[in-house]
Amino acid sequence: MGGVADVAGQEAADSFPISCPDPAIGPVLPPTPDRSGAPLIVYARQLDAAKHRQGEATGNVELFRADQHMSTERMLFDPVEETVTIPGDLSYEDRQVWFRGSDARYSFSSESGRFSAVDYGLTGSSANGSAELVELVGGNTSILHRLEYTTCSGEQPDWLLHARELELKHDEGFGTARGAWLEFKGVPILYAPYFSFPIDDRRKSGFLYPSISQNSDSGMEVSVPWYWNIAPNQDATLEPRYFSNRGFMLTAEYRLLTRRSSGKLQLDYLHNDKKTNEQRYFYHLRHQTRPWARWRTELDVERISDDRYFQDFGTNISQTSRQFLRGSASLHGVGRYWRLEMMVDDFQVIDDSVTPENEPYRRLPRIDFQLDRPLGATGLSAGVNSEFVYFDRSNGPTGARLDLYPNLVWQRRASWGYLRPSVGMRYTAYELDRRGLPGDESPRRDTAIASLDAGLFFERRSPGGGLQTIEPRLFYLYVPFEEQDDLPLFDSGEFTFGFSQLFNTNRFAGGDRQGDANQLALAVTTTHFDGDNGQALWSLGLGQIFYFDPLRVRLDDQSEGSVAAVNEDLSPFLAEFNWNLSSRYSAIAGMQWNWEEDDLDLASLGVNYRGEHGRRIRFEYRFRRNRVDQFDFHAAWPLNERWRLLSRVNYSFADDDLLEIQAGVEYESCCWAIRTVLRRFLRNRDGDFSDGIYFELNLKGLSRIGTRGRNPFGY
């Protein structure tokens, strides 16, 4: 099996340090040095030597040549053939391996030899074993016959690899085993008549170790991946997977890297699902290239065979909750004062709750150009934000939209603050095919936009030596009302209200709506810094918008609870607090309070603990009125140097149900580790859940066996 062996040692470097005997597990072996010109030095109590006949050295014999060191009590050497014969016990060591054997014969001219009844190990590693016979061939190849191998210490190792023959090609970076079987706790768990594996960081084609998991819907899953090292800049992984309830699936991944480009293709293909009697597939293609300086192209296409694919084969709630998949191709260019993007995109809707009238539009194409050029040293700069898009969809009106926003900005900045007024005119024009619906097919919109952004900087030294800053800021925005009900809604939606919206010139995303405004946003931020290291200990931000005129521009389907639909004098009051008590404890809290309705619009709370030895606790609570009310809890807690508990709970108070729950346990010793995870997550809007169990056995210095390598807990 040729995959990348796990030689990383402990899986979490900051967890409880395991008291393992030195040296460390599994280093990358250094290359063989050039020994051809190195002198041969022999030390012994007695030496009988001649120029043209066999000599003999006895009594504490030590031989040195470059990185090679051999010691014994009696050695016979032939100066003509440059060979040594050792009839008794000996020890040998170089930069790569060490041996302890009963007798040996070695030729320095060919760098080849034979060692009998050997105990061996990899230099600088806990990897060790025994063999009946070891052959060294040409200085770069080691052949071990009837051997045992492990990274465990002691006479009864927890895991042991047996093989009839093991060939290590040090110069090529891989080993080959024949007639091998693997024992764990004295129980054979794997047999392979032939497999190969890397012994350094070079890639090599071959089978990787199998994985296994259990899912309540798809049943038992077993996979055996095969890695293909196509070229130095290309590789692929082919993974046959068997689901007991669904059948055989082929998973493939291809990667390409050149000087100017990179690409990746992922594919899942199931010819006939035994549960649905349908063909199932998923593919994701990503490619990026830089054809010229300052230019790049991107291709990103993702598709599935049917709407239930992620519900059946997804591994977490982030996959099962997706509403659509996007495919796009784009060209990007950037200069000193400008930026250009040309792209096309399409969508595959996979959520049944998305009606045809609410499906996203295809953009065929979209051209976006932005210019921001200073006008000398006056502080003035002229800018243009422009976009041309053609929107297409099978349902509803289609057509082209041109959106231009030339603007002029003057900026004055000093150590005590800044002043930034701006003025611009936004022009939007359409050419539509309304498909029989009433309305103008060539509507227009002209809207002036003026703003003033100003801020001050204050700071003072606290009695404890820290630094506290206070930064008040005001942002006045004026946009006259323009009737826009006759304009289509291709890609516009209301921004989620937050601190960034205090200083934005539009409360709507996209180009179909420009919000009217006669408003003043006031905000203040204060931050306290540690006087010794400059770290921000805590910060507090407060802000609110004062409306001098009612907000009149709305989306067609805008709810009464949204900010832009409410005729009020004040926006929700915003507050955000960040607290870094120490390197271990941190917290963040935010809220939006609606004065008009005397109610909470939004709230969030996050608490994070990072303790010693890899202890982690993270709690997040999210609330949005009439939409979201849930918490997410993560924990990783080492009990001691061997055992570690993992958990995650995502619960929705609004639905009174679990969204996802996970629980796991890990055990780690000096030479192996094991992880078992139980997971339950929401599969679809019907309330169906997926239950699974995932298992991983990590034999350090060899490989992992079990679930394909993903940490579901996010640590």
Side-chain angles (χ1 to χ4, degrees), residues 193 321 414 612:
S321 61
E612 294 180 343

Side-chain angles (χ1 to χ4, degrees), residues 343-359:
M343 57 90 71
V344 295
D345 64 357
D346 191 8
F347 300 88
Q348 179 186 7
V349 178
I350 61 176
D351 189 342
D352 294 337
S353 67
V354 179
T355 64
E357 294 77 16
N358 292 323
E359 290 184 2

Side-chain angles (χ1 to χ4, degrees), residues 28 125 222 393:
V28 175
S125 167
V222 180
R393 195 175 67 180

Side-chain angles (χ1 to χ4, degrees), residues 186-248:
V187 179
I189 61 173
L190 187 65
Y191 174 76
Y194 173 91
F195 73 91
S196 61
F197 56 92
I199 59 176
D200 57 21
D201 57 353
R202 285 175 285 184
R203 305 194 312 267
K204 183 187 181 302
S205 300
F207 284 100
L208 306 179
Y209 281 83
S211 66
I212 185 171
S213 62
Q214 171 70 35
N215 182 276
S216 60
D217 185 64
S218 298
M220 180 74 71
E221 177 190 353
V222 180
S223 65
V224 182
W226 184 72
Y227 177 78
W228 183 16
N229 183 28
I230 303 172
N233 68 327
Q234 299 180 64
D235 66 3
T237 302
L238 303 176
E239 185 175 5
R241 302 163 64 189
Y242 177 73
F243 298 89
S244 60
N245 294 345
R246 298 187 180 275
F248 283 97

Side-chain angles (χ1 to χ4, degrees), residues 191-470:
Y191 174 76
Y194 173 91
F195 73 91
S196 61
F197 56 92
I199 59 176
D200 57 21
D201 57 353
R202 285 175 285 184
R203 305 194 312 267
K204 183 187 181 302
S205 300
F207 284 100
L208 306 179
Y209 281 83
S211 66
I212 185 171
S213 62
Q214 171 70 35
N215 182 276
S216 60
D217 185 64
S218 298
M220 180 74 71
E221 177 190 353
V222 180
S223 65
V224 182
W226 184 72
Y227 177 78
W228 183 16
N229 183 28
I230 303 172
N233 68 327
Q234 299 180 64
D235 66 3
T237 302
L238 303 176
E239 185 175 5
R241 302 163 64 189
Y242 177 73
F243 298 89
S244 60
N245 294 345
R246 298 187 180 275
F248 283 97
M249 171 184 282
L250 175 64
T251 293
E253 179 183 88
Y254 170 76
R255 299 186 300 177
L256 170 69
L257 180 65
T258 68
R259 185 170 61 90
R260 291 188 175 183
S261 65
S262 62
K264 184 177 182 180
L265 172 64
Q266 296 172 277
L267 171 68
D268 293 344
Y269 179 75
L270 179 61
H271 178 67
N272 183 37
D273 189 332
K274 293 190 296 185
K275 293 193 70 172
T276 65
N277 294 319
E278 295 176 346
Q279 182 185 94
R280 315 291 296 276
Y281 64 82
F282 159 79
Y283 67 85
H284 189 187
L285 172 63
R286 287 176 288 178
H287 187 269
Q288 183 180 109
T289 185
R290 296 185 177 274
W292 315 284
R294 297 186 176 183
W295 290 87
R296 78 178 191 276
T297 64
E298 292 183 355
L299 178 66
D300 194 331
V301 181
E302 196 174 13
R303 289 293 184 269
I304 57 177
S305 57
D306 56 272
D307 295 350
R308 295 184 59 86
Y309 183 88
F310 286 132
Q311 297 179 28
D312 294 339
F313 297 102
T315 58
N316 53 59
I317 194 172
S318 63
Q319 289 183 328
T320 60
S321 61
R322 299 182 68 175
Q323 291 189 307
F324 57 82
L325 304 179
R326 183 177 179 230
S328 65
S330 59
L331 171 67
H332 305 262
V334 62
R336 185 175 182 182
Y337 302 117
W338 59 271
R339 184 182 68 82
L340 174 67
E341 178 184 353
M342 303 174 64
M343 57 90 71
V344 295
D345 64 357
D346 191 8
F347 300 88
Q348 179 186 7
V349 178
I350 61 176
D351 189 342
D352 294 337
S353 67
V354 179
T355 64
E357 294 77 16
N358 292 323
E359 290 184 2
Y361 278 87
R362 296 184 292 272
R363 295 179 290 185
L364 306 170
R366 175 180 180 265
I367 303 173
D368 181 85
F369 178 76
Q370 296 185 19
L371 175 69
D372 186 6
R373 184 177 180 85
L375 302 177
T378 62
L380 283 171
S381 63
V384 175
N385 296 336
S386 61
E387 181 189 49
F388 173 81
V389 193
Y390 185 85
F391 295 95
D392 186 49
R393 195 175 67 180
S394 58
N395 187 282
T398 63
R401 184 186 71 200
L402 175 65
D403 192 18
L404 299 175
Y405 177 42
N407 58 84
L408 189 66
V409 179
W410 182 76
Q411 183 166 260
R412 179 69 174 175
R413 186 173 286 272
S415 60
W416 46 265
Y418 68 92
L419 184 66
R420 189 176 184 270
S422 70
V423 62
M425 175 66 70
R426 187 173 188 182
Y427 171 77
T428 308
Y430 294 83
E431 289 295 332
L432 303 176
D433 178 4
R434 291 191 177 270
R435 298 180 175 178
L437 296 176
D440 186 1
E441 294 193 346
S442 300
R444 303 286 187 270
R445 180 188 64 203
D446 299 285
T447 308
I449 301 175
S451 66
L452 174 64
D453 191 2
L456 297 173
F457 306 137
F458 300 97
E459 62 180 46
R460 70 178 183 90
R461 289 288 176 180
S462 63
L467 177 68
Q468 183 175 2
T469 64
I470 299 179

